[in-house]
Amino acid sequence: PMLIAIAINYLFTKVSNKPYFLSGFSLLLAIPSSMYISRILENINILVARTPFDFANLNVIPNNISIFTTGYLGVLNANFFGKSLSFESAINLGNLMLLALGFISLYFMFKKGIQEKNITFLFIPISVIVAIISFLLFSQITDLSRIRYVILTLFLFSTSILFLIKFQFVNNKKVLYVLEIFLVILIVGNIKQTFATKRGIIPNIPNYILTKYLSDNNLYYGYSDYWNSNINTYVSKEKIKIRQVVCVNGLMYPFLWLASDQWYRQDAYSGRTFVLIEKNGGDESYLRECNENARLSQFGKPEKQDIIYVGNIEYLVVVYNYNIAKTFPQKIYPELYRENKR
């Protein structure tokens, strides 16, 4: 976004601004520099997490648009579609109008940036548009949880709306008065809806059910994908420790993303361990390659296997009578992050 802002500023002004060009050159230089540093670190076995940008196939883009629309409206509490007329749906509609105001304010900010040759006024709207377009074209948009990739744009919207108030409405007291009332109603309504939604909800019920099963079966140390390991360790208050792993080419490796290599030492735990595999949820792909034959080859015959159903998700729990960490490959390849970090 900054490079685009610098380029647009130059195209419209035709004025060579040395600080801006130096900033652009520094950004361009950072790309090969970071690649070179990453390669050096990899050669001394220091892991570098990276997720290359892969473009989505054309047939996937409509799904990305649907996820973006549903997720964006959901985060903003602006989805009034399909609801009956009520105070709640009115607040949802008001939030949608505020979102529309945000997009309008981006246009005015961009226009002001060109007129005043202001890089900041150009950078903010360009950042929002680039983030949204990148989201729509990204190959790994598989569910609503990915909307977090564009959450930052919501904060930029608030900045652009404040800009609109300052430069367009500051001298129009009637508009400011109406806008203030509108915002107060939205704030009160959203707070009321938030507390009404939270009342009676117990979060992480599926995780409590799953950890209770593990505890009842005396399973206290195991391995699973990134998304199923940390949350279950947390809700069990570390009574049950599940360490994150990833499967590549049929072998299970430690996944050292926000993790300690000490967790995967053979002497970290002595006794029965297990592998927890999500079979049909949103995270089933992470250990898919480690099928029954692959597990048999790497870990040997299991003590037992159980299928556990938690809501609509099916889990496979494979139990071994020893700590399977002893079979993990010694070398950890940075390439593991390519398909398994999200």
Side-chain angles (χ1 to χ4, degrees), residues 1-7 20 23-24 27 119-120 123 126-127:
M2 180 57 76
L3 290 175
I4 297 173
I6 292 172
Y20 292 156
S23 298
L27 288 171
I119 289 291
T120 302
F123 173 72
I126 290 172
S127 295

Side-chain angles (χ1 to χ4, degrees), residues 219-230:
L219 298 172
Y220 299 107
Y221 206 93
Y223 304 91
S224 187
D225 63 81
Y226 176 83
W227 298 99
N228 278 299
S229 58
N230 296 325

Side-chain angles (χ1 to χ4, degrees), residues 142-181:
T142 57
D143 54 57
L144 284 175
S145 67
R146 307 301 176 93
I147 199 66
R148 66 184 185 275
Y149 295 159
V150 288
I151 287 295
L152 178 61
T153 60
L154 299 180
F155 296 95
L156 296 179
F157 273 131
S158 62
T159 302
S160 64
I161 290 174
L162 290 174
F163 163 87
L164 189 67
I165 293 173
K166 176 176 175 57
F167 288 97
Q168 299 293 326
F169 301 145
V170 69
N171 295 321
N172 192 328
K173 292 185 178 180
K174 290 183 179 180
V175 173
L176 284 177
Y177 182 69
V178 171
L179 191 59
E180 287 172 0
I181 295 176

Side-chain angles (χ1 to χ4, degrees), residues 7 11 42 51 76 95 130 216 240 250 252 259 298 329:
L11 288 174
E42 290 170 7
T51 303
L76 285 170
N95 290 336
V130 168
D216 290 345
I240 299 167
M252 203 169 288
Q298 184 174 2

Side-chain angles (χ1 to χ4, degrees), residues 221 254-256 258-268 332:
Y221 206 93
F255 186 39
L256 298 178
L258 303 179
S260 169
D261 58 358
Q262 300 297 313
W263 297 347
Y264 305 94
R265 291 170 57 93
Q266 186 178 344
D267 57 3
I332 311 300

